Amino acid sequence: MRRIVLIGYMGAGKTTIGHALSKETGIPFYDLDWYIENRMRKKISQIFENSGEEGFRQIERNMLHEVAEFENVIVSCGGGTPCFFDNMEYLNRQADTVYLKASPEVLCEHLKMGRTVRPLLIGKSDDELLAYITEQLEHRQQYYNQSKYVLNVNLLDSREKISTSIEHLREMLGL
């Protein structure tokens, strides 16, 4: 039985890596945000709008505890998931945790197009976005760095590089 949980800042490629790893290993993949939207029958942005970040984080924690109990699963978490409650400690007890690490500049490039749909990024200019990501990473590193494994994802700009990263991840995890 394997549980693999991918963590890291939004835009690091958790969903991309999760799908690719699932395809190669046959282990089912769940994106926690998609799981929450299915269970709550609401978009994440609607949950933020109706319940605020605090309400969303409580729902996220509850759904995390559901999905992290599944057997043979790969889960990608939202960027903030490890930083609230005892989520990171819980994840390390339940699974092999992998931090997908990327620089603020790489994350900013990945997130520029999605800033109109991500509740925490709406309305930010390029400079504000980079400053926000840099500040957030400084705060979140203490949680992300508690993961059991770290995979540098700064250079995931082609299918070949993604495949190489998946191969490296499989070696780290003994898959």
Side-chain angles (χ1 to χ4, degrees), residues 75-148:
V75 178
S76 68
C77 291
T81 306
C83 309
F84 292 88
F85 308 105
D86 64 343
N87 290 349
M88 196 61 218
E89 289 175 28
Y90 174 75
L91 288 171
N92 277 329
R93 284 193 309 270
Q94 293 297 109
D96 288 324
T97 51
V98 181
Y99 170 28
L100 302 185
K101 186 175 186 172
S103 71
E105 294 77 16
V106 167
L107 294 168
C108 188
E109 284 303 312
H110 291 180
L111 291 169
K112 280 181 182 178
M113 300 225 291
R115 71 181 133 202
T116 58
V117 294
R118 295 186 184 256
L120 297 175
L121 304 181
I122 291 174
K124 291 186 177 10
S125 71
D126 289 357
D127 289 340
E128 290 170 331
L129 183 61
L130 180 59
Y132 179 78
I133 292 168
T134 302
E135 181 183 319
Q136 288 279 296
L137 273 179
E138 286 176 15
H139 169 72
R140 292 180 177 188
Q141 286 289 6
Q142 64 182 312
Y143 301 100
Y144 294 163
N145 285 331
Q146 293 175 37
S147 66
K148 295 177 184 176

Side-chain angles (χ1 to χ4, degrees), residues 1-69:
M1 188 233 2
R2 292 301 298 257
R3 290 185 188 119
I4 300 164
V5 176
L6 305 175
I7 65 166
Y9 200 75
M10 62 181 133
K14 298 179 298 287
T15 300
T16 300
I17 294 288
H19 275 298
L21 186 60
S22 175
K23 186 176 179 183
E24 285 206 14
T25 62
I27 300 172
F29 170 71
Y30 290 86
D31 178 291
L32 184 61
D33 284 348
W34 297 347
Y35 185 80
I36 292 167
E37 287 180 347
N38 268 336
R39 291 277 282 113
M40 300 306 294
R41 300 189 194 284
K42 291 181 184 176
K43 294 284 186 192
I44 298 295
S45 58
Q46 292 172 309
I47 298 170
F48 262 82
E49 194 176 298
N50 296 338
S51 306
E53 185 176 10
E54 187 175 321
F56 168 74
R57 295 298 178 191
Q58 187 60 55
I59 292 167
E60 179 184 56
R61 180 178 188 262
N62 294 340
M63 298 296 107
L64 174 67
H65 280 252
E66 275 185 29
V67 95
E69 295 290 328

